[in-house]
Amino acid sequence: MVSTDLHRDIEAVLLTEEQIQRRVAELGAQISKDYEGKELHLIGVLRGAVMFLADLMRSLTIPCSCDFIAISSYGMDTKSTGVVRILKDLDDSVQGRHVLIVEDIVDTGLTLNYILNLIRVRNPASVRVCALLDKPERRIVPVTIHYLGFTIPNQFVVGYGLDYRQQYRNLPYIGVLRPEIYGGG
Ligand code: IMP
C-alpha cells in the first residue's frame, strides 16, 4: 500500500532534483545546438514523459511544438508483458517534420521500437530519440538513444513522472521503490 508520506516508500534516491534539472538543461542546450535553424516536433510518450518533456521543452531555444502518444506497456505491474498497443495516437501529422521522441525510460526497448516503426512509416524529415533514463541490462530490442539523461542499474524506479500503479509521479527526484511495496521483498 502507498504511504501517506510518499518519501517513506523510497529506499534510496538515485537522482536528486538538482542532478535531473542540471542534466535536462544540458540536453536542452545540446538539442538546441543540433537543430539550429530548424523547427523541432517533440513527441512525448504518455504518461511517464510528461515532466521530462515539460522541462526539456522549456530549456529549448529553437522553435518547437509537441504532441503526445500513449502506448500500453506494463499495465499495473513492474514487469513488461511484451504486449504493446496504441492507447492514444498522435493528433498531428509528422510528415516532413523533424521529430524528437521524448521517453522517460528505455527498459526492454519494446515500446520505443514500436513507436519508432510507427513514426518512420509516416514520412518525417528525421526521427531521433531523447530518453531521460536507460536500463541497458534489460534490453530485448536494440534501439538507438541519441540524447540520454542517465544510465541506471536494473532497479525499479519512480518519481519525476515515473510511476508504480499510477503513484509517485509527483516526486521531484528519482528513487528506488522499496521492494515490499510491490511485493518484491
Ligand atoms: P520498455 O518497453 O520495456 O522499454 O518499457 C518502457 C516503459 O516501461 C517506460 O516508458 C515506463 O513507462 C515503463 N518502465 C520501465 N522501467 C520502469 C521503472 O523502473 N519504473 C517505472 N516505469 C518503468
Side-chain angles (χ1 to χ4, degrees):
M1 217 181 65
V2 176
S3 305
T4 47
D5 176 6
L6 294 181
H7 303 286
R8 274 217 305 251
D9 294 350
I10 304 302
E11 190 171 72
V13 174
L14 204 60
L15 298 163
T16 64
E17 187 174 0
E18 292 72 26
Q19 282 175 301
I20 297 168
Q21 294 303 332
R22 202 178 318 127
R23 188 72 189 114
V24 171
E26 284 171 5
L27 289 172
Q30 183 65 51
I31 294 166
S32 300
K33 195 163 155 251
D34 293 354
Y35 286 89
E36 210 184 317
K38 298 191 177 107
E39 207 175 304
L40 189 59
H41 189 54
L42 305 175
I43 293 181
V45 184
L46 293 173
R47 297 168 221 177
V50 165
M51 316 282 173
F52 180 40
L53 184 138
D55 286 340
L56 183 72
M57 199 170 185
R58 274 177 288 191
S59 73
L60 295 177
T61 52
I62 49 167
C64 56
S65 53
C66 70
D67 199 350
F68 294 91
I69 191 166
I71 304 290
S72 73
S73 55
Y74 289 1
M76 294 294 273
D77 212 342
T78 58
K79 295 272 186 312
S80 177
T81 55
V83 179
V84 177
R85 66 192 169 93
I86 302 182
L87 299 178
K88 182 221 165 283
D89 206 339
L90 298 171
D91 288 333
D92 300 337
S93 166
V94 294
Q95 189 161 355
R97 302 172 96 165
H98 293 289
V99 169
L100 184 66
I101 298 169
V102 181
E103 250 290 33
D104 53 356
I105 183 166
V106 182
D107 190 19
T108 63
L110 288 165
T111 308
L112 194 54
N113 185 54
Y114 180 84
I115 295 171
L116 277 166
N117 289 335
L118 195 91
I119 289 176
R120 282 190 184 124
V121 297
R122 297 181 184 183
N123 301 317
S126 68
V127 190
R128 281 188 180 173
V129 172
C130 178
L132 181 67
L133 305 174
D134 182 17
K135 264 200 246 182
E137 276 175 60
R138 299 238 319 151
R139 198 73 88 254
I140 293 173
V141 191
V143 281
T144 303
I145 304 171
H146 304 86
Y147 303 99
L148 175 66
F150 306 91
T151 299
I152 63 162
N154 184 16
Q155 282 174 309
F156 193 78
V157 292
V158 293
Y160 194 65
L162 289 147
D163 77 306
Y164 173 63
R165 299 197 171 186
Q166 300 306 325
Q167 296 296 317
Y168 308 103
R169 294 190 196 274
N170 52 324
L171 290 174
Y173 55 82
I174 288 170
V176 181
L177 195 62
R178 288 190 188 283
E180 56 265 34
I181 304 291
Y182 56 85

